[in-house]
């Protein structure tokens, strides 16, 4: 039996690593006294996993954690108990209990992102960049790899079909979906870096605030019952 949770990673917590985020959740599970299952052996580990790692510096409104249970529990009660023990920056938005289900990571098909441009960014150029990307049949990007190793050339159009540009009061936002396949997926900040370079937007990449807004299975279906 597994408890599945939809949670957030917001504010300053976007700068903690995937491992630190997981450990924070484990500590909250222990404090909430949820009946977690553990591995056996000399160094037991809580059977807790996340559906997808999130890049450092990216916020999320839709992380999914999966906790194997040692005893039955009510999903809503578990989410409420956990919420009381979570630090600022993590909220439990929905919960579900399932039996003999595949891991969430194996179900992922797509992630949605919103990228808010820094104040003063050239809105006209960003709109043109989005249009140029959408019109292109191919859009190659040399993705940086480990130091000393050659860049990896990717056709971004195989991972992100289109980019929508929203002109909001005081800022410009780019919204896009990244397909997730067994062979891997595109990092959201790689797409922003590619647009910045190709269309000479002169953006401070580190000032672009990216939020994961959706994580889906089978196209755009929710990962858990979120009613």
């Amino acid at each position: 039996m597994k408890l599945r949770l939809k949670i957030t990673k917001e504010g300053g917590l976007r700068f903690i690593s995937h491992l630190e985020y997981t450990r924070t959740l484990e500590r909250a599970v222990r404090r909430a006294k949820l009946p977690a299952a553990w591995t056996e052996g000399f160094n037991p580990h809580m059977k807790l996993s996340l559906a997808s790692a999130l890049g450092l510096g990216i916020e999320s409104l839709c992380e999914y954690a999966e906790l194997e249970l040692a005893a039955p529990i009510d999903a809503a009660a578990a989410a409420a108990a956990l919420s009381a023990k979570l630090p600022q920056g993590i909220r439990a938005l929905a919960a579900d209990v399932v039996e003999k289900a595949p891991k969430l990571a194996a179900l992922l098909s797509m992630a949605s992102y919103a990228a808010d441009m820094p104040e003063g960014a050239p809105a006209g150029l960003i709109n043109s960049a989005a249009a140029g990307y959408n019109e292109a049949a191919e859009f190659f990007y040399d993705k940086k790899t480990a130091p000393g190793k050659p860049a990896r050339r990717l056709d971004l159009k195989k991972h992100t079909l289109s980019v929508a540009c929203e002109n909001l009061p005081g800022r410009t936002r780019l919204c896009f979906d990244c397909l997730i396949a067994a062979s891997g997926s595109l990092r959201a900040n790689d797409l922003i870096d590619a647009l910045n370079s190709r269309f000479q937007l002169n953006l401070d990449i580190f000032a672009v605030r990216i939020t994961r807004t959706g994580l889906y299975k089978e196209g755009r279906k929710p990962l858990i019952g979120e009613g």
Side-chain angles (χ1 to χ4, degrees):
M1 183 179 296
K2 298 176 182 175
L3 173 67
R4 289 174 168 175
L5 294 154
K6 181 181 182 181
I7 53 179
T8 66
K9 186 179 184 185
E10 301 171 276
L13 281 189
R14 69 186 185 276
F15 295 114
I16 68 171
S17 69
H18 177 73
L19 182 58
E20 290 170 319
Y21 185 61
T22 303
R23 286 175 175 166
T24 301
L25 293 174
E26 289 176 352
R27 286 194 290 270
V29 168
R30 287 198 296 268
R31 288 197 296 267
K33 302 186 186 312
L34 300 186
W38 294 73
T39 60
E40 297 181 352
F42 293 105
N43 188 22
H45 297 280
M46 185 183 293
K47 293 185 176 179
L48 173 73
S49 60
L50 292 170
S52 175
L54 190 66
L56 199 65
I58 297 179
E59 293 186 83
S60 178
L61 302 176
C62 56
E63 293 307 284
Y64 288 87
E66 195 167 49
L67 176 68
E68 192 164 325
L69 297 170
I73 193 171
D74 177 75
L82 188 66
S83 292
K85 304 300 180 183
L86 288 170
Q88 187 175 8
I90 305 179
R91 293 179 289 139
L93 303 178
D96 200 3
V97 173
V98 296
E99 298 210 33
K100 296 182 179 179
K103 288 189 173 182
L104 284 174
L107 302 175
L108 300 179
S109 63
M110 186 168 64
S112 298
Y113 295 91
D116 287 331
M117 301 297 113
E119 186 177 353
L125 286 178
I126 294 169
N127 275 271
S128 298
Y133 182 87
N134 295 336
E135 291 168 0
E138 299 174 322
F139 198 100
F140 287 101
Y141 170 68
D142 291 327
K143 179 182 175 64
K144 297 185 180 90
T145 57
K149 294 190 175 181
R152 181 181 167 209
R153 171 150 279 210
L154 299 175
D155 179 5
L156 302 191
K157 296 291 287 193
K158 292 182 178 177
H159 300 270
T160 300
L161 300 179
S162 63
V163 177
C165 187
E166 298 179 1
N167 297 303
L168 305 172
R171 69 181 189 279
T172 306
R173 173 179 290 170
L174 295 178
C175 298
F176 51 91
D177 298 327
C178 292
L179 303 177
I180 299 174
S183 57
S185 60
L186 180 69
R187 296 193 317 164
N189 38 10
D190 283 342
L191 177 62
I192 301 301
D193 187 41
L195 294 174
N196 192 36
S197 299
R198 175 74 65 87
F199 297 102
Q200 301 179 2
L201 301 178
N202 294 318
L203 295 174
D204 176 1
I205 290 295
F206 297 105
V208 177
R209 194 148 181 171
I210 302 175
T211 303
R212 181 146 71 187
T213 57
L215 201 54
Y216 309 101
K217 65 179 181 181
E218 301 172 16
R220 198 178 280 276
K221 292 183 180 178
L223 286 175
I224 65 174
E226 299 173 13

